[in-house]
Amino acid sequence: MIMAATAMVAPLSVYAKAKQQPAIYGQVTAAGKPVAGVAVSDGVSIVKTDANGNYAIQNSDKSDGTVFITTPSGYMALSNDGFQPGFWRTLNSPAGTSEVHNFELTPQNQDVYSVLYLPDLHLTNEDEKRDIAAFESLAYPVIQSLYNQYSEYGPVYCFNLGDISHDIYWYDYGFTLDKVIEYLKGKAWPFMTYSVSGNHDNDPSVIGENVDDRAAWLYRKILGPAQYSVNIGNDHWIFLDNIQYINVAGKGKKAKGVKGDRSYNHTFTPAQLAWIEKDLQNVEPGQQVRVVCHAPLLMETKKTGMVFKKEDMDKFDRLFSKFDYVPIYSGHAHSLTYCKHEDYPRFFQHIGPAASGNMWTTSRYDQTLSTDGTEAGVFVGKFVKNQPEDRQLYTYAQGKSAMRTYDLNSVGDYYKNDSIVRKELSFFPKRTDFSDPKYKNCVLINYWLYEPGQTVEFIEDGAPLDVTYASDVEDPLWNVIYYAPLTAQLGEYKSSYNQRTSAHLFMAKAKTSDRPIEIRVKNADGKLVRSEVMHRPKKFDRTAN
């Protein structure tokens, strides 16, 4: 139980201990009154404030470089910069010396709250992409509107899921991570923002020993610790950096200031796992635990559908053994996927579409799409105690759209007659050629809100069609606005332009070429959750929706 005392008491005992042993110490208060029972950590140890709101972490090696609190439910840490809650402080003195850091909480009604998930924003200020202009014209108006809409229910936070910057452009365009944050602050950013680090948020000029820790210097300076937790409402959120930056010297793409290949692994360090174990001991009975990290841990339900190595996933899974259901929120993949894994049934992996689509590469002339054909946008989750998260995707182009439908007769005509696509197919004959007669009268949908357990039905003239999970084709719009122009311009095949399949494409062969097709989506209990009618013939070109 977190409770505020009725009067402030000077932390004499803490001061006395600090004189005897080096310590990180201070006080947690709310409206000038001490708050007891708040967890405080240096990234290794976790202590709690006493009845007077005082804490002391004795003999810290200060290896994490920060001290932070786990903000209790019903409070938010008072912001120091107007961008993020002030739940952490930079440690300024070397190990073996004492230093004081106090934290101020402000009461907040969190009976209902909302979260805007922001993965992979990739702001670079690069001339050719013109990503700043795209962000301001496409994304920012939607983001601002969503804040206004959801703030009617209660507080609204932004969760920056990593890659808010892009390391290879840091020095070429002078848009380092701190410049990105300053830019967003200058836009009157409406949210209090919690962050995790992505692979592109590391300093690419740092090479050599201990590069993972050293390359994160700027992130740590402005956005805080590599792992921390926050209680909001009935939820215990754990934020984790699961990128191990490697940056092998002398390899990779050449750019100003970049000294390595910017390589990385997906993993948690032993120190992080030890900290998670301690943090979970402070979860109150009945709280819902939720995990936030940049790279997904899981990608598919089958045994091979993992991003993490099995031994790493096993260690992580064991830490959560007393919890039946733990959702994980990630980005990184630039695609939208929900998945469960048969070996790790407690976890439900959410992979959000990149806020930048494919790093804004398709925005200048065409639609902003993620690499699986999902329309770029942002998820918002609304949280009410003891109710499932109300999660909605808001795309920049179509609002709350859930799918794109294709009449493959029209797609086939486009593939047959478009010179750019024909040139691409001449270089890469293994790419899906929708002009093939086998696709005649077929309909294809990209249903990007597909969740495990749902079923997709196609109905023509009242009769169901045989629906297949189209795992061997790609989204045709994604191809014609991205890969086809790139291949035609290059004049040769590049392995990196390989066909990209999707986790949510469904196809059926209709009996006619011009009758409407009703698409129905049902949940695991057979309840209809979505219905949409596709009228044919349906036009296809680079502006398709």
Side-chain angles (χ1 to χ4, degrees):
M1 172 71 70
I2 305 297
M3 52 189 303
T6 57
M8 180 177 291
V9 179
L12 296 177
S13 60
V14 173
Y15 280 109
K17 289 181 180 179
K19 289 180 179 179
Q20 296 172 2
Q21 295 179 344
I24 305 166
Y25 64 99
Q27 190 177 41
V28 179
T29 58
K33 297 179 181 180
V35 184
V38 178
V40 188
S41 180
D42 62 349
V44 178
S45 300
I46 300 177
V47 301
K48 286 192 174 183
T49 57
D50 62 17
N52 299 318
N54 304 323
Y55 74 91
I57 303 173
Q58 303 288 341
N59 296 314
S60 172
D61 64 7
K62 302 185 179 181
S63 57
D64 191 70
T66 62
V67 59
F68 53 92
I69 63 172
T70 296
T71 310
S73 295
Y75 293 95
M76 187 184 73
L78 194 66
S79 178
N80 301 310
D81 62 1
F83 182 78
Q84 59 189 321
F87 65 92
W88 65 277
R89 302 284 188 271
T90 300
L91 297 176
N92 300 311
S93 302
T97 59
S98 293
E99 53 186 295
V100 182
H101 294 283
N102 299 317
F103 297 90
E104 177 71 17
L105 303 177
T106 180
Q108 190 175 61
N109 186 337
Q110 299 170 345
D111 291 344
V112 180
Y113 73 93
S114 303
V115 172
L116 181 139
Y117 304 101
L118 194 73
D120 304 281
L121 188 58
H122 284 284
L123 292 181
T124 67
N125 203 28
E126 198 255 356
D127 292 338
E128 185 175 350
K129 289 182 183 179
R130 300 180 184 175
D131 52 274
I132 296 295
F135 170 73
E136 293 187 353
S137 64
L138 298 174
Y140 186 71
V142 173
I143 290 170
Q144 181 70 60
S145 174
L146 291 174
Y147 176 82
N148 294 336
Q149 175 183 338
Y150 278 85
S151 61
E152 295 182 7
Y153 304 110
V156 187
Y157 310 94
C158 174
F159 287 0
N160 161 30
L161 300 184
D163 285 359
I164 202 168
S165 67
H166 198 142
D167 50 355
I168 199 168
Y169 299 100
W170 272 23
Y171 297 105
D172 254 345
Y173 294 92
F175 220 53
T176 47
L177 179 60
D178 56 332
K179 297 295 194 305
V180 174
I181 301 304
E182 287 300 320
Y183 164 76
L184 291 176
K185 290 180 185 178
K187 296 296 294 178
W189 192 246
F191 305 90
M192 283 291 102
T193 300
Y194 293 100
S195 297
V196 292
S197 178
N199 50 292
H200 292 297
D201 296 324
N202 289 282
D203 186 345
S205 72
V206 177
I207 54 176
E209 296 183 1
N210 197 27
V211 65
D212 181 48
D213 184 63
R214 290 168 49 239
W217 72 272
L218 188 53
Y219 180 92
R220 293 293 190 87
K221 179 180 178 181
I222 61 171
L223 293 177
Q227 65 278 327
Y228 61 94
S229 60
V230 178
N231 293 302
I232 310 175
N234 193 53
D235 300 301
H236 182 79
W237 292 91
I238 304 175
F239 295 78
L240 301 169
D241 174 5
N242 62 354
I243 299 296
Q244 181 186 47
Y245 201 59
I246 300 173
N247 203 29
V248 178
K251 295 185 177 181
K253 294 180 180 179
K254 307 303 179 186
K256 183 179 179 181
V258 178
K259 296 183 179 179
D261 63 356
R262 303 176 298 122
S263 55
Y264 55 89
N265 290 326
H266 309 105
T267 190
F268 294 121
T269 66
Q272 282 180 303
L273 295 175
W275 181 87
I276 295 168
E277 184 174 19
K278 296 173 186 175
D279 175 76
L280 288 174
Q281 294 173 8
N282 293 321
V283 175
E284 299 282 349
Q287 274 191 306
Q288 172 64 59
V289 175
R290 302 177 186 274
V291 174
V292 180
C293 49
H294 176 61
L297 280 63
L298 307 168
M299 286 291 288
E300 298 172 334
T301 56
K302 58 187 180 182
K303 289 182 180 293
T304 57
M306 296 170 57
V307 176
F308 269 44
K309 293 180 180 178
K310 189 177 190 309
E311 55 266 33
D312 290 343
M313 196 64 211
D314 288 342
K315 293 176 184 176
F316 189 73
D317 183 49
R318 282 194 290 270
L319 294 176
F320 293 85
S321 60
K322 67 178 182 179
F323 303 101
D324 295 330
Y325 170 70
V326 180
I328 304 171
Y329 303 79
S330 308
H332 185 58
H334 289 254
S335 60
L336 197 168
T337 305
Y338 296 119
C339 69
K340 292 179 67 69
H341 194 285
E342 57 190 43
D343 289 345
Y344 307 101
R346 81 180 78 257
F347 297 117
F348 190 91
Q349 177 73 68
H350 305 243
I351 307 174
S356 63
N358 188 40
M359 303 179 187
W360 305 109
T361 52
T362 65
S363 303
R364 186 174 176 185
Y365 301 112
D366 294 295
Q367 303 182 55
T368 306
L369 303 182
S370 290
T371 59
D372 60 351
T374 303
E375 291 178 7
V378 289
F379 269 112
V380 179
K382 181 181 173 185
F383 296 88
V384 181
K385 186 176 180 179
N386 297 327
Q387 294 185 22
E389 175 187 2
D390 178 8
R391 189 175 54 256
Q392 302 289 339
L393 174 65
Y394 296 86
T395 68
Y396 307 145
Q398 306 293 332
K400 289 173 64 175
S401 62
M403 66 180 71
R404 186 184 306 110
T405 59
Y406 296 104
D407 177 350
L408 291 189
N409 289 334
S410 299
V411 175
D413 288 342
Y414 186 95
Y415 268 57
K416 180 179 180 180
N417 298 312
D418 185 77
S419 60
I420 293 177
V421 172
R422 297 321 301 173
K423 188 173 184 179
E424 176 200 30
L425 290 171
S426 71
F427 293 128
F428 186 23
K430 293 184 179 180
R431 173 156 258 116
T432 303
D433 183 357
F434 288 105
S435 67
D436 190 310
K438 69 181 180 180
Y439 296 113
K440 182 180 179 181
N441 290 344
C442 286
V443 289
L444 176 73
I445 69 165
N446 189 340
Y447 171 47
W448 42 73
L449 294 186
Y450 172 75
E451 295 188 24
Q454 290 183 336
T455 57
V456 178
E457 301 175 351
F458 289 35
I459 309 297
E460 181 186 24
D461 290 333
L465 302 176
D466 291 332
V467 179
T468 60
Y469 179 60
S471 58
D472 58 341
V473 303
E474 63 186 342
D475 185 289
L477 181 62
W478 165 253
N479 180 51
V480 302
I481 72 172
Y482 187 67
Y483 281 140
L486 284 177
T487 304
Q489 182 180 13
L490 185 66
E492 62 180 359
Y493 164 72
K494 281 187 68 173
S495 59
S496 60
Y497 297 169
N498 271 342
Q499 176 163 303
R500 187 180 289 264
T501 57
S502 170
H504 33 71
L505 289 174
F506 299 87
M507 185 164 58
K509 195 173 192 67
K511 299 186 185 314
T512 69
S513 63
D514 58 1
R515 297 293 294 161
I517 304 293
E518 182 185 2
I519 299 150
R520 300 174 184 171
V521 179
K522 296 180 179 178
N523 63 17
D525 296 326
K527 180 181 178 182
L528 184 68
V529 295
R530 193 175 305 276
S531 177
E532 187 169 318
V533 175
M534 174 186 177
H535 295 280
R536 300 184 299 155
K538 182 180 179 182
K539 177 184 175 182
F540 175 79
D541 58 20
R542 295 164 70 102
T543 65
N545 56 36

